[in-house]
Amino acid sequence: MYEELGVWEKISQAGFMRKKGAQFLLGDGTRKVRLDFSKGSFTEFPEAVQVERAKFDNILLTHSQECGAEVRQESLVQDLQVDADGVAVKYRDKEGASHQVKAKFLIDASGLSNFTANRENRRTYYAEHKKIAIFNHFAGVDMPQGEEYGDILVIRRNNSWFWMIPLEDDKVSVGLVMDRGDFQALGQEPDRCSRRPYAPPPPCRSVSPRWHRPPPCMWPPTSPTGTTHWSLIA
């Protein structure tokens, strides 16, 4: 797809981490399984790239602008109206001025803020899947080397799990996923949840924070929705 869009060369030359596999471990270290991407039954490519979203999204945004798309940054969508002819969107720019644009179709990629679904009262949650993710970027993490360099690690615990995703040579995203109810029962701030008994298992105990910790992300999955003139994407 990226080749068809003409943006693959920019992505491949951006210095993203090459990912040849994924490893799944038990938190007590008793079992480990590695999935080698080059040995999959339906593998077309032997590896993938692990992108950092801010950098990746900027590549796509800049490329779309170079291809003729009109881009409005530092702008806040305030309202939309849907009628038989299409969609009208009102937004405010960084100077505070209001504007309106019209189109035949609207694709809402607002993510967790879910602008259109919230506005139309169409957002629904999966009741049994209320999770939160608490994450940070770390340096000094003991990650796989050699042929396994670039692998992501998924570490299972009794009622939670960790991801460890290498973004650069010395920059690893470490995240804890747990039930929202379990987090609330702890009565702790998010930055304390990486301490015992929720401490990461041996592969990620020797870490030293170097980057700012993003706020905890409430990540309850929702069902897709839309109408004749607008649709939601991730």
Side-chain angles (χ1 to χ4, degrees), residues 37 40-47:
F37 294 164
S41 299
F42 304 99
T43 299
E44 183 176 357
F45 301 100
E47 62 182 34

Side-chain angles (χ1 to χ4, degrees), residues 38-222:
S38 68
K39 298 178 181 179
S41 299
F42 304 99
T43 299
E44 183 176 357
F45 301 100
E47 62 182 34
V49 290
Q50 185 65 59
V51 302
E52 191 166 2
R53 283 297 305 272
K55 186 176 181 181
F56 176 69
D57 289 0
N58 187 62
I59 291 174
L60 299 183
L61 182 68
T62 302
H63 180 75
S64 65
Q65 193 170 22
E66 292 171 352
C67 292
E70 295 184 21
V71 176
R72 304 284 188 271
Q73 298 196 61
E74 298 183 77
S75 299
L76 177 67
V77 175
Q78 296 177 299
D79 192 21
L80 78 152
Q81 298 294 329
V82 181
D83 58 30
D85 296 323
V87 183
V89 175
K90 292 179 63 176
Y91 71 93
R92 186 178 68 236
D93 63 24
K94 63 179 180 179
E95 306 299 334
S98 295
H99 306 269
Q100 179 174 283
V101 291
K102 295 183 178 182
K104 291 292 185 182
F105 199 85
L106 170 69
I107 298 177
D108 180 357
S110 57
L112 288 174
S113 61
N114 216 332
F115 179 80
T116 49
N118 283 337
R119 184 181 179 280
E120 301 291 330
N121 293 319
R122 291 173 176 262
R123 188 172 188 173
T124 57
Y125 292 89
Y126 295 111
E128 289 82 28
H129 199 177
K130 294 183 178 179
K131 305 288 184 180
I132 65 168
I134 304 168
F135 58 94
N136 199 344
H137 291 169
F138 292 90
V141 183
D142 183 16
M143 294 294 287
Q145 300 297 315
E147 288 298 317
E148 299 180 357
Y149 181 75
D151 283 8
I152 65 170
L153 307 184
V154 177
I155 303 154
R156 179 181 172 181
R157 297 178 64 83
N158 287 336
N159 296 305
S160 61
W161 62 276
F162 281 90
W163 76 68
M164 298 175 64
I165 304 175
L167 301 174
E168 297 176 3
D169 288 340
D170 197 23
K171 184 177 183 180
V172 178
S173 171
V174 180
L176 166 65
V177 180
M178 60 192 304
D179 287 336
R180 185 172 62 182
D182 290 344
F183 168 71
Q184 293 171 336
L186 290 174
Q188 297 180 353
E189 293 297 317
D191 60 356
R192 294 181 59 86
C193 286
S194 61
R195 303 180 183 182
R196 295 181 181 178
Y198 289 93
C204 56
R205 281 185 181 154
S206 178
V207 298
S208 56
R210 185 180 295 172
W211 290 273
H212 173 68
R213 173 183 58 79
C217 174
M218 300 293 288
W219 211 338
T222 59

